[in-house]
Amino acid sequence: MGKIIALANQKGGVGKTTTTINLAASLAALDKKTLVVDADPQANASSGLGINIREVKDSIYECIINHVDPKKAILPTEVPGLYIVPSHIDLVGAEIEMLSFENREKVLKTVLEKLRNDYDYILIDCSPSLGLITVNSLTASDSVIIPVQCEYFALEGISKLLNTIKIIKSKLNPSLEIEGFVLTMYDSRLRLANQIYEEVKKHFGDLVFTSVIQRNIKLSEAPSYGQPVLLYDPDSKGSYNHMELAKELIAKNK
């Protein structure tokens, strides 16, 4: 049975989508059949994995709102063993449409349970907000990975997210766990980056992944070519970092 992991942080620009697509590609390269679910209306995970959004017939929106079979929405990517349920700008309106739904917080859970047995890992790229779609993503997940940017305000938004996780755990998904915090945009030459790493480690201990995602030009360039960094530049630091993260995640879940 596959594990469903949400990647969430309501603070934008922390490298959440970058981590999602590159961690997913690394898991697939390590022979783990992986599915990315793009639950962000910006659809960056979809375009970052080479999907032409304009040509998408069925997206996660259709699965949630029109009850389209999610298997019809799955598209292959260039990475063998890596698939995606793409997003669409229509997802912006989904939160309003869902308000009249019964069990509206559990719609995505129902969708993903149909796919769970077909994959080793299902990674959900959440939008940078704590709206109904993100609540659905956390309710549908077994655990959550929280990307934390090595910047001065890094820890600011975390308490809000942790509070949301606590509420979801008590009301909607008692088995939701924190898989771990992953430090992104890390630059070992900066004292600040090291201070933030130490601070996050002090707060969250073993929940912090040992692997960090370093600042890397190739990592920033890859999405504009519709490729994970593993294909764009397999020898880059970004590719190596995500491969280490994937190995650490697999070892954690043995």
Side-chain angles (χ1 to χ4, degrees):
M1 195 161 83
K3 183 163 194 179
I4 302 175
I5 304 174
L7 281 94
N9 191 332
Q10 83 280 7
K11 192 172 183 296
V14 297
K16 183 178 45 59
T17 301
T18 303
T19 306
T20 306
I21 59 182
N22 290 295
L23 173 58
S26 301
L27 287 167
L30 293 165
D31 294 327
K32 299 292 178 189
K33 193 178 178 194
T34 305
L35 176 71
V36 170
V37 176
D38 191 349
D40 184 349
Q42 294 176 73
N44 290 338
S46 304
S47 57
L49 284 173
I51 305 301
N52 184 342
I53 316 296
R54 292 183 197 88
E55 290 174 7
V56 168
K57 184 172 165 285
D58 292 319
S59 68
I60 194 66
Y61 172 82
E62 280 74 24
C63 300
I64 291 172
I65 302 299
N66 304 328
H67 311 295
V68 164
D69 180 350
K71 291 184 180 179
K72 286 186 177 169
I74 294 168
L75 298 171
T77 70
E78 275 187 71
V79 180
L82 177 59
Y83 301 83
I84 184 165
V85 175
S87 182
H88 194 275
I89 191 67
D90 289 350
L91 201 58
V92 168
E95 304 211 345
I96 296 160
E97 293 176 72
M98 288 163 79
L99 289 176
S100 58
F101 284 19
E102 205 177 322
N103 281 336
R104 61 183 180 222
E105 297 91 355
K106 297 187 176 178
V107 182
L108 188 58
K109 185 180 177 71
T110 308
V111 169
L112 296 186
E113 285 304 324
K114 296 171 186 167
L115 304 174
R116 188 192 275 275
N117 293 333
D118 299 340
Y119 296 90
D120 296 307
Y121 289 96
I122 296 176
L123 303 186
I124 309 174
D125 185 37
C126 299
S127 69
S129 74
L130 293 176
L132 190 52
I133 300 286
T134 300
V135 168
N136 261 265
S137 301
L138 294 169
T139 304
S141 298
D142 300 308
S143 65
V144 54
I145 288 176
I146 302 169
V148 180
Q149 186 183 6
C150 285
E151 298 270 325
Y152 183 67
F153 294 114
L155 294 172
E156 240 188 13
I158 292 181
S159 57
K160 211 183 235 178
L161 178 61
L162 292 179
N163 200 36
T164 303
I165 290 168
K166 201 165 144 191
I167 294 165
I168 286 168
K169 211 170 150 70
S170 66
K171 302 239 186 340
L172 296 164
N173 182 4
S175 58
L176 182 66
E177 297 294 338
I178 292 175
E179 190 73 47
F181 294 83
V182 59
L183 275 292
T184 62
M185 305 181 197
Y186 181 81
D187 186 340
S188 57
R189 295 167 305 178
L190 300 179
R191 200 166 75 201
L192 179 66
N194 293 304
Q195 280 173 346
I196 287 163
Y197 183 82
E198 291 309 321
E199 207 171 320
V200 175
K201 195 84 178 137
K202 192 173 77 187
H203 273 73
F204 304 110
D206 290 344
L207 283 176
V208 183
F209 283 100
T210 309
S211 314
V212 294
I213 310 301
Q214 290 164 283
R215 279 198 182 276
N216 180 239
I217 294 291
K218 300 293 181 187
L219 199 53
S220 312
E221 288 174 357
S224 59
Y225 292 87
Q227 289 185 326
V229 72
L230 187 73
L231 292 182
Y232 179 65
D233 187 349
D235 297 323
S236 67
K237 207 176 273 185
S239 181
Y240 173 77
N241 289 162
H242 284 96
M243 193 57 82
E244 289 304 301
L245 180 62
K247 287 176 185 167
E248 198 175 338
L249 180 64
I250 292 166
K252 233 180 176 190
N253 285 287
K254 268 188 179 154

